[in-house]
Amino acid sequence: MATEVTPKVALAGFRRILGADAVLTDRDAIAPCLTDHRKLYEGTALAVLRPGSVDEVSQLLAFCNGTRIGVVPQGGNTGYCGGATPDGSGRQVVLSLARLARLRSIDATNHSMIAEAGCILANLQREAEAVDRYFPLSLGSEGSCQVGGNLSTNAGGLNVLRYGMARDLALGLEVVLADGRVLSSLGGLRKDNTGYDLKSLFIGAEGTLGVITAACLKLFPRPRAVATAFVAVRSVAAAVDLLNLLREASGDRLSSFELIPHVAIELTTRHIPGVAQPLAGEYPWCVLCELGSARAADPLDSMLENALRDAMDGGLLDDAALAQNERQRAAFWRLRESIPEAQRHEGASLKHDIALPIASLARFVDEASAWIASNLPEAMLVAYGHVGDGNLHFNVNARAGTDPLRLVARADEVQRVVHDLVASLGGSISAEHGIGRLKVPELERYAPPAKLDLMRAIKHALDPNGIMNPGKVLRSA
Ligand code: FAD
Ligand code: 2HG
Ligand code: ZN
């Protein structure tokens, strides 16, 4: 039987389950949990709850399900779509996973590790390295995002081309369902065809179907040879040709292929201390590419150099710099990973995280850039990203010193043009950042009706009372 309870009774219930110290209500202490990384949303909450065990998460969800209190799971709170921010109703709690941060086990033989949801991504990369293995998920936010958040957003990042997205790296999950039951598949099996793949439902669900409390993650042999280059390509079409040339020439050892426009180099060198121009000249488009191999003796530098020479002879490139040492490699990556921060320093940004069939990327960039140039001449287009995966961050930025509100007032119009073009080319309006609260109307507009119907049916089956992250991904019923 459902019983709605007063805030006082709810708080007493939470304290009974967690103890008083793990139920935060002090305004200043909880303020950072009530807004998102981009400061697009601000909400309120009955409390921020910090469970320290799976059993506590289970008891909390059973209690919230019975009392119809909305639960907003929160990891590192680095998400881009407002998915971890509560609404303004005051009838929701933020469920922080920060205290569930144990590496339960690591198995070099099985190439796997079992990590709790609150583990910080960069810590897991280090844990893998300590047993001579590699965990390839890598994002600019890896120092603060959590693996539970990575799985819940199905994060992508810088190594997807070779190793896949977060979904591809999960062998199994432990999930607490909305009614408090625990579903676990942490056995580390690579083969298990016993019915529906339930874990996949929770990956990319952004906390709307249950709370991920732990995951069994795939590890790989550690790359012992790496070759990295910063390359000036003639055009986006040339970048796509180079991508295919490098994949073939390296026997598919290409792990990253990131498109970087001149404006991003200009922004990062101006706003981020220590970032330097990687090439002597100024070129409209560059690519940061990296080959990796588990065999130390693989001659990756010469492989990359020869492939780039062929590309230069074929008219794809104007210039290239190969990283001569780890310091130079880190400098190239620092430039790339600082682009979001540099953009933030410059001004407000209209972000479009889109995916396209690789063959349509150049056409998209040509058409969408032409529209921006003639309709928003005062704005700065910063189109960059994981082109090896067909994923562009097609961001339109306000220039420093201009009124950001004038750009923000055009956000819906720009989004419509960009997303309509993406849809007409067979692409996706969310490649790696998810839907959250930000893109609910966009999902409703572009998703096929049968997909939306099935998503709603799954939501209802797993969370009939609608307590899990209400209003995210799908509109509240
Ligand atoms: P949060 O922001 O806390 O939560 C995200 C969503 O997941 C919310 O809906 C939340 O409710 C839900 N959630 C969190 N934990 C759980 C859990 N345990 N169980 C159920 N639901 C949960 N993203 C990319 O994909 N690729 C990038 O290259 C990339 N680069 C970034 C660079 C920067 C500088 C920044 C700030 C962000 C970047 N991101 C990128 C976005 C962001 O870091 C990712 O989406 C990340 O996966 C979010 O993890 P988090 O722990 O911060 O999750
Ligand atoms: C990246 O690839 C992130 O750096 C951030 O996904 C993208 O800020 C953005 O638009
Ligand atoms: Zn990205």
Side-chain angles (χ1 to χ4, degrees):
M1 262 294 274
T3 343
E4 288 214 8
V5 291
T6 62
K8 198 172 159 198
V9 172
L11 288 170
F14 300 144
R15 290 186 182 117
R16 188 171 25 71
I17 296 166
L18 297 181
D21 287 353
V23 179
L24 309 186
T25 52
D26 177 76
R27 269 171 179 246
D28 291 342
I30 68 175
C33 303
L34 304 181
T35 185
D36 62 307
H37 178 80
R38 294 177 62 195
K39 306 276 180 284
L40 296 177
Y41 303 103
E42 205 177 320
T44 55
L46 281 166
V48 172
L49 307 177
R50 291 170 51 86
S53 69
V54 180
D55 184 52
E56 287 181 354
V57 176
S58 161
Q59 290 186 54
L60 282 175
L61 289 202
F63 180 81
C64 289
N65 198 37
T67 51
R68 305 294 190 262
I69 292 170
V71 177
V72 182
Q74 190 171 93
N77 203 13
T78 67
Y80 271 160
C81 299
T85 308
D87 67 14
S89 67
R91 291 289 306 163
Q92 300 188 342
V93 287
V94 171
L95 183 78
S96 162
L97 277 300
R99 287 181 62 219
L100 252 69
R102 236 170 15 104
L103 179 67
R104 290 192 194 162
S105 62
I106 188 156
D107 183 344
T109 309
N110 194 49
H111 283 78
S112 64
M113 64 181 166
I114 299 179
E116 291 185 341
C119 291
I120 301 287
L121 175 57
N123 294 345
L124 291 181
Q125 295 165 349
R126 280 192 286 271
E127 294 283 4
E129 219 176 298
V131 296
D132 203 21
R133 293 290 179 264
Y134 181 57
F135 184 55
L137 191 64
S138 174
L139 334 173
S141 54
E142 62 200 23
S144 45
C145 64
Q146 300 177 1
V147 74
N150 300 148
L151 290 160
S152 299
T153 54
N154 187 25
L158 305 166
N159 287 323
V160 172
L161 183 57
R162 175 86 167 273
Y163 296 98
M165 298 185 65
R167 183 188 306 283
D168 302 297
L169 301 173
L171 289 170
L173 294 184
E174 179 185 81
V175 179
V176 180
L177 303 177
D179 61 8
R181 280 177 300 166
V182 180
L183 183 71
S184 181
S185 57
L186 297 177
L189 300 177
R190 278 178 164 70
K191 289 191 162 181
D192 179 11
N193 271 349
T194 51
Y196 306 141
D197 179 13
L198 295 180
K199 76 169 183 311
S200 235
L201 283 178
F202 300 92
I203 300 174
E206 302 179 55
T208 58
L209 300 179
V211 176
I212 297 176
T213 47
C216 183
L217 301 161
K218 282 185 199 167
L219 301 178
F220 294 82
R222 213 152 58 79
R224 289 170 203 284
V226 178
T228 311
F230 210 99
V231 180
V233 285
R234 290 263 162 94
S235 61
V236 176
V240 171
D241 289 345
L242 177 65
L243 168 70
N244 291 323
L245 187 152
L246 285 178
R247 287 192 71 169
E248 282 198 19
S250 68
D252 230 1
R253 288 171 178 80
L254 189 64
S255 49
S256 300
F257 193 88
E258 297 285 318
L259 186 71
I260 301 177
H262 171 68
V263 67
I265 299 178
E266 197 271 313
L267 284 176
T268 49
T269 48
R270 185 149 52 85
H271 289 296
I272 311 293
V275 171
Q277 294 270 3
L279 298 170
E282 267 187 21
Y283 303 97
W285 296 103
C286 288
V287 159
L288 173 55
C289 53
E290 187 160 284
L291 308 183
S293 166
R295 294 181 61 217
D298 257 359
L300 295 191
D301 277 332
S302 56
M303 206 179 266
L304 185 54
E305 206 171 332
N306 292 338
L308 292 177
R309 189 166 303 120
D310 288 349
M312 182 99 68
D313 293 345
L316 300 180
L317 317 182
D318 280 319
D319 196 5
L322 249 82
Q324 299 301 316
N325 49 44
E326 185 50 38
R327 194 181 44 78
Q328 213 173 2
R329 171 177 177 254
F332 290 169
W333 277 112
R334 182 162 151 72
L335 186 158
R336 163 61 186 90
E337 292 186 28
S338 308
I339 299 174
E341 192 189 334
Q343 267 188 272
R344 209 168 37 250
H345 285 295
E346 184 72 7
S349 183
L350 311 181
K351 291 184 185 287
H352 307 92
D353 165 37
I354 56 167
L356 288 153
I358 301 235
S360 302
L361 268 171
R363 178 170 162 203
F364 170 83
V365 171
D366 284 350
E367 291 185 19
S369 310
W371 190 90
I372 301 288
S374 47
N375 290 277
L376 288 167
E378 71 285 6
M380 177 189 271
L381 177 62
V382 193
Y384 67 101
H386 323 288
V387 154
D389 318 322
N391 176 191
L392 267 186
H393 298 306
F394 193 81
N395 296 343
V396 184
N397 230 83
R399 290 179 195 275
T402 63
D403 179 4
L405 293 180
R406 280 185 50 198
L407 178 67
V408 173
R410 309 276 304 271
D412 289 350
E413 177 195 357
V414 179
Q415 177 169 270
R416 186 60 53 242
V417 169
V418 171
H419 286 174
D420 277 356
L421 183 56
V422 166
S424 75
L425 294 171
S428 168
I429 56 131
S430 177
E432 60 171 8
H433 296 158
I435 300 296
R437 182 156 153 191
L438 182 68
K439 290 191 184 170
V440 172
E442 293 301 281
L443 182 69
E444 287 171 345
R445 184 182 176 96
Y446 293 102
K451 174 174 175 162
L452 283 172
D453 284 351
L454 274 178
M455 284 175 63
R456 289 182 187 121
I458 290 167
K459 169 78 177 168
H460 185 70
L462 289 178
D463 179 21
N465 299 322
I467 63 152
M468 288 310 311
N469 217 357
K472 312 294 169 47
V473 183
L474 293 171
R475 207 174 282 273
S476 293

